[in-house]
Amino acid sequence: MLGAAWYPEQWPEARWEADLALMEAAHINFVRVSEFAWSTMEPKEGDYQLDWLEHAVRLAEKHHIAVVLGTPSAAPPAWLTQRYPETMRTKEDGRKDEHGNRQQFDWSNAKYRELAGKMAAKMAERFGHDKNVIGWQIDNEYANESYGESTRTQFQDWLKAKYKTLDSLNAKWTTAYWSETYQDWSQIPIAERYGNPGLLLNWKQFVSDTWRSYQKVQLDAIRAHAEPRQIITTNMMGWFDAYDHYTVSQDLDFASWDDYVGSGQLDFVRNGATHDLTRGLLRKNFWVMETQPGFVNWHANNNALDKGEVRAMAWHAIGHGSEAVEYWQWRSALNGQEQYHGVLVGADGTPVPLYYEVKQLGAEFEKAAPVLAGTTVKSEVAVLQDYNSRWAINWQRHNRAFDPVTALVSYYGPLRALARSVDVVADTAPLSGYKLVVAPALNLLTPTAVKNLEAYVRGGGHLVLGQRSGMKDEDNSLYPQRQPGPLADMLGARVEQWYALETAIPVEGDWGAGTSTMWAEQIGVKSSETKVLARYGKSNGWLDGQPAAVTRKVGKGSITYIGAGLDEATMRNAAKWMLDESGLKPVMPEVPADVEVSVREGDGKRVVILENFGEKKTITLPQAMTDVLSGTSTSSVTLDQYGVAVLRY
Ligand code: GLA
Ligand code: GLA
């Protein structure tokens, strides 16, 4: 599906039809509306005005454009915040937020939830059976917490429900340290950045649970009235880590995210990992609920994507399992905070140059949709992603340059270039279907994750742990065993010491001679069954000649630990080794590194999508395939820069 974020409430009704006709001409087949329109839908408390929205839905229908309704809770109206000041969020510095922007509400506030829930219910009563409404988006980009007294009390109650006794909490957080010991639940503060690691982790988990329950109020309100065919999501933000996306997405029908490049050009490896992260939330196809029509307005340098790049980016999303691409936004509002943002139609109501590229894309989506129907991405490789681990590292990076997402992508990139599809999933996801599971920087290992990983290896799976894995337990306490903690026995090795690095140091072994940057772990081998794969060269003395990566066979499976932060070339060799060890065969022969290859399968179909992000080139296919966009059979494709091929075989 191809969509646009449309805000009819910002324009006279007389104009709507002209917009919809332009959309229809561009093959846009859905709009997302009403997500910030609370002041139009409820101008006074209890005065629900939905006729205009009904009119917009009907006009869209006339133009064969389906509708996704957004609940407006990200932008409370002024009457609400004035009458119920307690619904305003308290900022981290203790000051109250104010009206005039968005996301100024307190997500933990009961009154706010009630009013947002009522609004959602009114909308669902009216549109829950509307045949032109296909889905719902709750709120918009959950982001801001509140730090007021009532939230703090809720947090304390949440801790009480979790730990039962203060003795248990004090023990698990080692509060004897710095006299942090709590004698009463009411003494426990909120800490966002500095503070006891147990406190920090629990606050984030509370934040996540609170977003989940905030969302649940609206989900329940909609589900009480809407037909189940109307599917419900919220638009998330990729690697954004203010809350645990697994916690929040579990109640949704599908996951979606807002894919913005911001500045520069598309980094298709990292962006591909982000698509896969989103697909991994509910382990099924997802939507790109927003993406940039050329450029944004919120970066320091809002350059436009190159001609052709927007189209390539859309196909890149489809290759990773997206079902929809929606442009934010259709037309510039005449006023408001985002006047400079990219659009498809200018303030004057006529198309901007990019409109025609999107129109071409729309025609292509229309052709490819029946072929893509029923297909998804199937992966034999999983890369594990864990919010607890990312938080734990980010609070104590130890080397400022160590970014857990970059660490993840350093594995993901070469693995995906070989395997052509990788799932990014939680450490608690079912793993038995994967031949290879890679956990970069899985710092925090809960008992559930430990069981899951052990069972995977004992069942014949191949597990690779990256740097900093297995250091902390579920309370963000250090494990009393060295890394990888509870998995050290199975590995037959342990991390003797970690070192934050100032400069790259040599690493040599089965994957060739390369370097480790930022971080190095000295591994001690404890079992004769554990084989050293690579060693450090000369560096700080401590690391000289010491094991940098080890592996051990466990039945038909294996466990590997990589203590070095490998450079790209060595990581590529390591990735090849991982695939060989786990018996994985690449789907397509190697293509140049600036070409992305994705495969979607299902319903007896196999679709390969290629995008070329480099110079013009010809790619020979392993067999004849049908070019879905031209309808011809071909055994090679020539792609200009940003060229795309959609092939079926
Ligand atoms: C200071 C403090 C110690 C400890 C060290 C860490 O010296 O007195 O308690 O925090 O720093 O380097
Ligand atoms: C976010 C928001 C949109 C809009 C865009 C601009 O994704 O969801 O409302 O502000 O950013 O890039």
Side-chain angles (χ1 to χ4, degrees), residues 426-443:
D427 57 11
T428 49
L431 300 177
S432 60
Y434 298 111
K435 291 193 169 148
L436 171 64
V437 170
V438 180
L442 191 59
N443 194 238

Side-chain angles (χ1 to χ4, degrees), residues 3 84 142 203 211 233 235 277 284 309 327 405 508 513 577 579 633:
Y84 306 105
Y142 306 146
W203 168 249
W211 277 120
T233 191
N235 52 336
L277 167 81
K284 62 181 186 186
E309 194 175 359
Y327 290 95
V405 175
E508 206 176 326
W577 175 88
L579 255 69
S633 174

Side-chain angles (χ1 to χ4, degrees), residues 5 7 32 35-36 102-103 137 140-141 235-237 258-260 290-293 295-298 328-329 338 341-342:
Y7 299 92
R32 186 195 59 191
E35 56 157 4
F36 297 116
R102 54 181 170 180
Q103 299 178 325
Q137 173 193 298
N140 177 75
E141 296 188 342
N235 52 336
M236 297 181 161
M237 291 188 277
D258 297 345
D259 186 4
Y260 290 98
E290 293 179 15
T291 190
Q292 69 189 58
F295 53 90
V296 299
N297 70 313
W298 41 259
W328 193 98
Q329 63 173 330
E338 297 172 297
H341 201 283

Side-chain angles (χ1 to χ4, degrees), residues 491-493 525-532 551-553:
L491 179 67
V525 174
K526 301 289 162 204
S527 161
S528 58
E529 291 171 17
T530 303
K531 186 182 162 233
V532 175
T551 190
R552 183 186 195 179
K553 292 215 183 308

Side-chain angles (χ1 to χ4, degrees), residues 125-167:
E125 275 169 27
R126 181 80 175 247
F127 299 104
H129 298 273
D130 193 303
K131 55 189 182 313
N132 201 41
V133 172
I134 57 169
W136 296 78
Q137 173 193 298
I138 295 179
D139 207 273
N140 177 75
E141 296 188 342
Y142 306 146
N144 289 340
E145 303 85 30
S146 184
Y147 304 86
E149 268 310 307
S150 68
T151 305
R152 182 172 153 172
T153 308
Q154 287 182 43
F155 177 46
Q156 290 159 347
D157 291 345
W158 182 95
L159 288 168
K160 199 169 176 178
K162 177 173 170 180
Y163 288 97
K164 313 287 191 256
T165 66
L166 275 174
D167 285 348

Side-chain angles (χ1 to χ4, degrees), residues 293-306:
F295 53 90
V296 299
N297 70 313
W298 41 259
H299 211 279
N301 179 9
N302 300 292
N303 66 282
L305 296 179
D306 290 344

Side-chain angles (χ1 to χ4, degrees), residues 395-604:
W395 287 315
Q396 303 180 69
R397 281 194 172 186
H398 207 61
N399 180 339
R400 190 171 46 182
F402 193 103
D403 169 21
V405 175
T406 303
L408 184 147
V409 174
S410 77
Y411 280 87
Y412 170 93
L415 285 168
R416 190 174 190 290
L418 292 167
R420 303 301 177 208
S421 63
V422 167
D423 283 351
V424 177
V425 292
D427 57 11
T428 49
L431 300 177
S432 60
Y434 298 111
K435 291 193 169 148
L436 171 64
V437 170
V438 180
L442 191 59
N443 194 238
L444 194 152
L445 274 178
T446 62
T448 318
V450 172
K451 270 199 202 116
N452 199 29
L453 296 177
E454 276 174 350
Y456 171 68
V457 173
R458 298 214 187 280
H462 298 273
L463 172 68
V464 177
L465 298 167
Q467 295 183 311
R468 305 181 76 155
S469 291
M471 186 188 199
K472 305 279 199 77
D473 73 6
E474 60 188 327
D475 290 290
N476 207 7
S477 288
L478 293 171
Y479 269 120
Q481 307 102 309
R482 302 276 182 80
Q483 287 166 255
L487 297 173
D489 280 348
M490 185 182 247
L491 179 67
R494 65 178 205 175
V495 172
E496 300 294 352
Q497 184 63 69
W498 67 84
Y499 300 91
L501 301 177
E502 286 180 300
T503 52
I505 63 165
V507 182
E508 206 176 326
D510 290 16
W511 308 322
T515 55
S516 179
T517 44
M518 288 187 290
W519 195 265
E521 289 168 339
Q522 175 192 339
I523 300 175
V525 174
K526 301 289 162 204
S527 161
S528 58
E529 291 171 17
T530 303
K531 186 182 162 233
V532 175
L533 294 166
R535 287 179 187 276
Y536 297 105
K538 200 159 174 42
S539 62
N540 63 0
W542 302 110
L543 285 162
D544 299 4
Q546 295 297 320
V550 296
T551 190
R552 183 186 195 179
K553 292 215 183 308
V554 181
K556 285 185 178 151
S558 68
I559 178 167
T560 300
Y561 192 98
I562 303 180
L566 299 173
D567 63 277
E568 271 182 46
T570 314
M571 188 62 102
R572 269 200 297 278
N573 294 337
K576 276 192 195 118
W577 175 88
M578 290 176 213
L579 255 69
D580 287 347
E581 284 293 296
S582 35
L584 265 152
K585 301 267 172 299
V587 177
M588 290 265 293
E590 278 199 49
V591 297
D594 48 16
V595 174
E596 181 179 70
V597 182
S598 297
V599 185
R600 287 179 60 145
E601 8 179 349
D603 269 3

